[in-house]
Every structure is written in structure tokens, then in C-alpha cells.
Amino acid sequence: MDEETKEFLECEQPWVYVMLIFAAGWFGAYTFVLRGGIFCNAQTANVVLFGIALGSGNWKGAAYLLLPIGAYLFGAFMSEFLGKTVKRAHLLRWDTILTLLEAVAVFILGCLPAEAPDQICQVTLNFICSMQFNTFRQMTGIPAATTFVTNHLRQIGSNLAKYIRHHDPVSWRKLKVHGSLTVFFGLGAIVSTIGCHFFTYRSIWGACIVLLIIFGRLAYTDIVVEKDFLDQVPHGH
């Protein structure tokens, strides 16, 4: 590593990804238990349901599903667009600002009354999960999602087989990365479910605390530790 670049930025470090996917597990359990019985972290199920609705001639249902799908698509667009815009300001990294925006959105969702339409929470989380997924792409050089675990499960199985056959350190490192992220996603869901039983609709504020911790540390790093590296692009972008 020379004076011009860092090998990995703070926003690519394991602790960030572990905490982000913990929050994502929290979101998934929260919406399933309290806000409509669905998951908002990804859109595979919604696209399938959209196809079923079209195939069944349920035009109203199909049109309704375009709302979460569109929110997810728009989230990816906005994160890509705003990321480049924020970079020109040379103040904080987009990755850092996004965690604050997520925390604010989650705090507001926790303020909603029980009778508020579930779709408000669902679409908001669709949007912020998409931005997060598009922004945080690689954990210390290993491609890793922070909002769902489908690929992590595939990677666990694949790298476990490679390690058993070849005993190479690369497969072992990937196995640990994807395994830890899967575990913390599950832990987030467990803690969220317990929180839902005790604190009901305000329980999502627990994820807000997690996001604020990430923001605080990343902001400090941007301003003090990595102020000379704000132009550096994280791996995977």
C-alpha cells in the first residue's frame, strides 16, 4: 500500500458488513411479524408474485406489486446517482451519509402508529435496502451482500467443498466471511422478533441504534483518519 491508496477503506471492513446485515435481519423480521407478513430486503418474491398476478389476470394486484419493485429499482438508481454527487463535495463518503439517511428513515418508521398502512414501512425499507445493497458491495475484497443471505448460503456450500478438497486458505477465508454474515443476519432476525414482542412497532428503533453507531464511526474515519482518501472508490464500484 502506497501513499496514494489504502488497500481497504473503513467502509469495506468486516465490522461494517456484520452490523449492516444484522440490521437487515432486523428489518426482515420486523416487517414479517408486524408489517404485513412479508420480507422487504429483496424483490425475488415480489417479481414472482407479479408474474402470477399477470398470469391470473389480476391487473390490480400486478399494479400494486409494481410499487415495491419500483421502490427497489429507484433505490439502486438514487444510490448510484447520489454517490457520485456526494463524492464531489469532499466532505463525507456516500457510504457514511447513507447510514445516517437509513437511521433517520428507520426512526420515522418507528414513530408510525399501528394503524398506519403497512405499505409505508414496506416501501421505505424496499428503498433503503436497495440503496444499501448497491452501495456496500465488497467486504475487504470479497463480494458480499448486506441485505439478504441467498448468495451467502451458496458461497458457504461452494467454499466448504473447495476447502475440503484442496485445503486452500482462500476458500477458508470466504467460508468464514459468508458464514459470519449469515449468522449475523439470523441474529438480527432473532433479536428483532424478541423486540417486536416487547416493544411492538417501536422495536425497529433497535436497528436505528445500530445504523447510528455505524454512521458515527464512519464519519469520524472520513473526517480524521481517511480524510486524504475521500476520492478513493471502494472495491466493486
Side-chain angles (χ1 to χ4, degrees):
M1 180 168 60
D2 56 34
E3 296 181 354
E4 299 299 324
T5 60
K6 287 171 63 69
E7 184 177 3
F8 297 112
L9 298 164
E10 189 68 17
C11 61
E12 301 175 85
Q13 297 301 320
W15 74 269
V16 176
Y17 279 70
V18 163
M19 294 186 74
L20 284 174
I21 205 165
F22 179 85
W26 198 303
F27 296 157
Y30 180 83
T31 55
F32 191 85
V33 174
L34 295 178
R35 289 297 186 184
I38 65 170
F39 302 113
C40 295
N41 305 47
Q43 291 301 301
T44 303
N46 281 335
V47 173
V48 172
L49 292 173
F50 178 73
I52 293 173
L54 288 179
S56 304
N58 181 5
W59 313 119
K60 183 178 180 181
Y64 170 77
L65 286 164
L66 286 176
L67 189 60
I69 294 171
Y72 206 86
L73 189 154
F74 189 58
F77 169 81
M78 288 300 294
S79 66
E80 197 69 31
F81 183 81
L82 290 176
K84 301 298 185 295
T85 304
V86 168
K87 184 178 179 181
R88 299 191 197 102
H90 301 286
L91 296 174
L92 294 173
R93 305 190 69 86
W94 162 249
D95 315 65
T96 304
I97 295 173
L98 174 59
T99 58
L100 178 61
L101 294 177
E102 286 191 59
V104 172
V106 169
F107 177 79
I108 294 172
L109 291 178
C111 294
L112 295 177
E115 59 272 16
D118 293 337
Q119 292 80 4
I120 296 175
C121 181
Q122 294 168 4
V123 171
T124 301
L125 291 179
N126 285 150
F127 183 72
I128 65 175
C129 281
S130 176
M131 288 200 294
Q132 180 177 307
F133 177 46
N134 190 57
T135 299
F136 294 89
R137 301 183 183 181
Q138 289 193 17
M139 184 180 107
T140 55
I142 298 177
T146 60
T147 57
F148 53 87
V149 295
T150 303
N151 184 58
H152 295 313
L153 292 172
R154 182 186 73 83
Q155 292 287 352
I156 291 171
S158 175
N159 285 288
L160 178 60
K162 291 177 182 177
Y163 181 73
I164 291 174
R165 292 184 63 185
H166 306 293
H167 297 282
D168 64 294
V170 174
S171 295
W172 178 244
R173 178 171 177 254
K174 290 181 178 180
L175 181 61
K176 290 192 295 181
V177 165
H178 294 291
S180 64
L181 291 174
T182 301
V183 167
F184 274 90
F185 184 86
L187 287 175
I190 292 170
V191 175
S192 177
T193 302
I194 295 171
C196 287
H197 291 310
F198 284 98
F199 304 103
T200 62
Y201 295 92
R202 304 292 181 261
S203 62
I204 199 172
W205 285 344
C208 180
I209 294 172
V210 173
L211 292 166
L212 286 174
I213 292 172
I214 301 172
F215 168 73
R217 182 164 169 181
L218 288 182
Y220 172 80
T221 301
D222 289 349
I223 296 170
V224 178
V225 181
E226 294 180 350
K227 62 181 183 298
D228 296 328
F229 300 98
L230 289 179
D231 287 332
Q232 185 173 326
V233 179
H235 292 75
H237 286 264

